[in-house]
Amino acid sequence: MNRVYNFSAGPSMLPMAVLESAQKDLICYGDSGMSIMEMSHRSPEYDKIIKDAEALLREIMNIPDNYKVLFLQGGASTQFAAVPLNLMNKNNKADYILSGQFSTKAYKEAQKYGDVVAVASSKDVNFSEIPATTRDSFRPDADYVHICFNNTIYGTKYSYIPDTGDIPLVADMSSCIISEPVDVTKFGLIYAGAQKNMAPAGLTLVIVREDLIGNAREDTPAMLDYKLMAEGESMYNTPPCWCIYVAKLVYEWIKELGGLEEMKKLNEKKAKVLYDYLDSQDYYIAPVKKESRSMMNVTFVTGNTDLDKKFASEASAAGLKNLKGHRSVGGMRASIYNAMPYEGVVALVEFMKKFAAENPKA
Ligand SMILES: *Cc1c(COP(=O)(O)O)cnc(C)c1O
């Protein structure tokens, strides 16, 4: 078996140590005589797993007690509807910042439920930067402001937390969750699909301030009602048991590494290798404005679509997989989430140098 460096944007790499633990437990968990996949979610063994997962996440992310942690299903895309259904409940107004495809999808979904405005957008520069906002950008009576903190497709990230004053800030953190410390208290709600940086596909994390729940619209489906989910301690119905278990292993892995401060250092070190190389040459172009660069998803192009194609296919043959950019933007994208080893990024840069030397532009 030959493991490759997998630069997929999601589902994406999991830490080897996590995969090995999961493999060890796959057939028989502890002395339960069964796999976690076969186990009742109401069993004492599983109860401990989900409680430990929540406790570990609270610890590594430093989540205050007045926030609920929910392990849900439906992907981040389901939250595009759940957020307005639960939170757009005072003035039926919400403000969205458009910084890419996912935030635009979230905005369009929310428009079904109320007066929803795009207060800023970087679409005119092909989402190559994070739109600038000030407190005055937002309607004072908006029920919340929604942002996408890291834009997976374009490779941009907020380098600061927008100042929304008293208006709760909601952030889609699908592709940057647990990559570095964040001040949870600055957010009313954080959500993330797990398959980018946390667990296998099938789990969605919601971290929500208590005072924001309990006022969902009357017609909110039960499965999207944060209050019911919180009261049921993420067990209103069967939770994604296996994914939560793997998430727990990932949280343990981060804790053992030294927590999110250490994780951040490692991620910065990886991103720096790639960006330093990109900035030192003129064969590849990195389209993202420097202050908006993502540490998780790094985009670049050769400027020639045939060369881009050749790059992705030759890289794949060399064991550097899934470097083709998103179908809507082309070029290349290297997703270098927590689990991507430093050596993988070094191998990518070496390949980039070799490819540039072998394929001069006409
Ligand atoms: C992948 C992704 C989504 C979509 O997630 P699903 O779990 O597939 O619904 C939403 N937002 C961001 C930032 C993403 O990276």
Side-chain angles (χ1 to χ4, degrees):
M1 180 198 55
N2 243 346
R3 295 271 301 172
V4 296
Y5 291 123
N6 178 9
F7 294 90
S8 169
S12 34
M13 286 185 85
L14 285 163
M16 196 59 190
V18 166
L19 292 175
E20 282 168 347
S21 290
Q23 183 183 47
K24 191 167 66 50
D25 288 348
L26 185 71
I27 293 175
C28 206
Y29 180 68
D31 50 16
S32 70
M34 63 183 85
S35 171
I36 288 161
M37 288 187 260
E38 304 169 303
M39 193 178 274
S40 165
H41 58 294
R42 310 273 178 206
S43 64
E45 285 95 342
Y46 195 75
D47 191 60
K48 178 160 166 48
I49 291 172
I50 192 168
K51 293 227 161 79
D52 285 353
E54 179 176 338
L56 278 159
L57 183 68
R58 283 187 180 277
E59 184 183 342
I60 61 173
M61 281 188 75
N62 199 14
I63 301 172
D65 289 342
N66 64 325
Y67 283 75
K68 293 287 185 194
V69 171
L70 307 175
F71 296 114
L72 307 175
Q73 304 195 49
S77 304
T78 297
Q79 295 308 313
F80 298 168
V83 166
L85 284 166
N86 283 272
L87 266 51
M88 206 167 21
N89 52 19
K90 288 199 182 81
N91 302 315
N92 207 31
K93 287 184 179 178
D95 289 355
Y96 278 64
I97 300 179
L98 307 191
S99 56
Q101 235 181 63
F102 291 116
S103 52
T104 304
K105 277 187 175 170
Y107 161 68
K108 289 193 173 143
E109 186 78 346
Q111 282 187 315
K112 294 175 183 170
Y113 302 109
D115 172 4
V116 173
V117 173
V119 290
S121 168
S122 50
K123 189 169 196 289
D124 57 336
V125 289
N126 197 28
F127 296 123
S128 59
E129 65 185 44
I130 296 296
T133 52
T134 65
R135 197 186 277 212
D136 297 333
S137 311
F138 310 109
R139 294 180 292 178
D141 58 347
D143 290 333
Y144 65 88
V145 171
H146 179 282
I147 62 171
C148 180
F149 211 46
N150 184 79
N151 296 278
T152 326
I153 294 173
Y154 299 90
T156 62
K157 158 137 202 290
Y158 282 82
S159 57
Y160 60 95
I161 297 172
D163 178 8
T164 58
D166 293 335
I167 312 170
L169 180 62
V170 174
D172 177 353
M173 293 200 188
S174 295
S175 49
C176 59
I177 191 90
I178 58 173
S179 62
E180 61 180 336
V182 289
D183 182 353
V184 175
T185 65
K186 295 275 196 299
F187 299 88
L189 188 148
I190 292 168
Y191 66 91
Q195 70 275 21
K196 311 281 162 61
N197 207 20
M198 205 153 63
L203 168 65
T204 312
L205 174 71
V206 171
I207 301 166
V208 56
R209 217 173 61 209
E210 267 167 5
D211 62 287
L212 296 175
I213 65 177
N215 293 304
R217 278 167 60 122
E218 289 273 316
D219 56 357
T220 302
M223 284 298 293
L224 301 189
D225 187 335
Y226 297 139
K227 181 150 187 275
L228 285 178
M229 296 301 118
E231 281 171 0
E233 301 188 314
S234 301
M235 294 235 210
Y236 174 83
N237 72 329
T238 317
C241 301
W242 174 255
C243 297
I244 294 169
Y245 155 75
V246 178
K248 185 195 84 131
L249 296 179
V250 169
Y251 305 154
E252 277 167 354
W253 177 74
I254 290 175
K255 189 180 165 179
E256 272 162 35
L257 220 92
L260 289 182
E261 283 295 346
E262 286 306 309
M263 197 72 253
K264 179 185 186 185
K265 277 187 209 155
L266 244 156
N267 285 329
E268 278 176 345
K269 184 174 157 204
K270 287 186 291 179
K272 186 172 187 314
V273 172
L274 197 41
Y275 284 123
D276 279 355
Y277 171 64
L278 284 168
D279 290 341
S280 72
Q281 52 80 57
D282 54 15
Y283 187 85
Y284 304 98
I285 304 143
V288 168
K289 201 173 168 186
K290 277 189 185 166
E291 50 276 32
S292 296
R293 282 175 168 177
S294 166
M295 188 163 73
M296 296 279 98
N297 311 97
V298 180
T299 50
F300 54 95
V301 299
T302 62
N304 172 322
T305 46
D306 290 332
L307 275 181
D308 287 351
K309 246 187 224 160
K310 192 169 187 237
F311 181 98
S313 95
E314 289 186 7
S316 179
L320 308 167
K321 300 285 182 188
N322 293 314
L323 282 160
K324 191 164 166 277
H326 188 271
R327 57 189 185 280
S328 65
V329 294
M332 275 75 74
R333 169 180 52 177
S335 295
I336 50 174
Y337 299 120
N338 288 353
M340 172 60 68
Y342 177 73
E343 294 73 25
V345 183
V346 172
L348 171 59
V349 170
E350 287 312 308
F351 177 84
M352 289 169 78
K353 288 180 186 164
K354 181 165 160 282
F355 186 87
E358 287 172 1
N359 297 276
K361 289 184 201 167

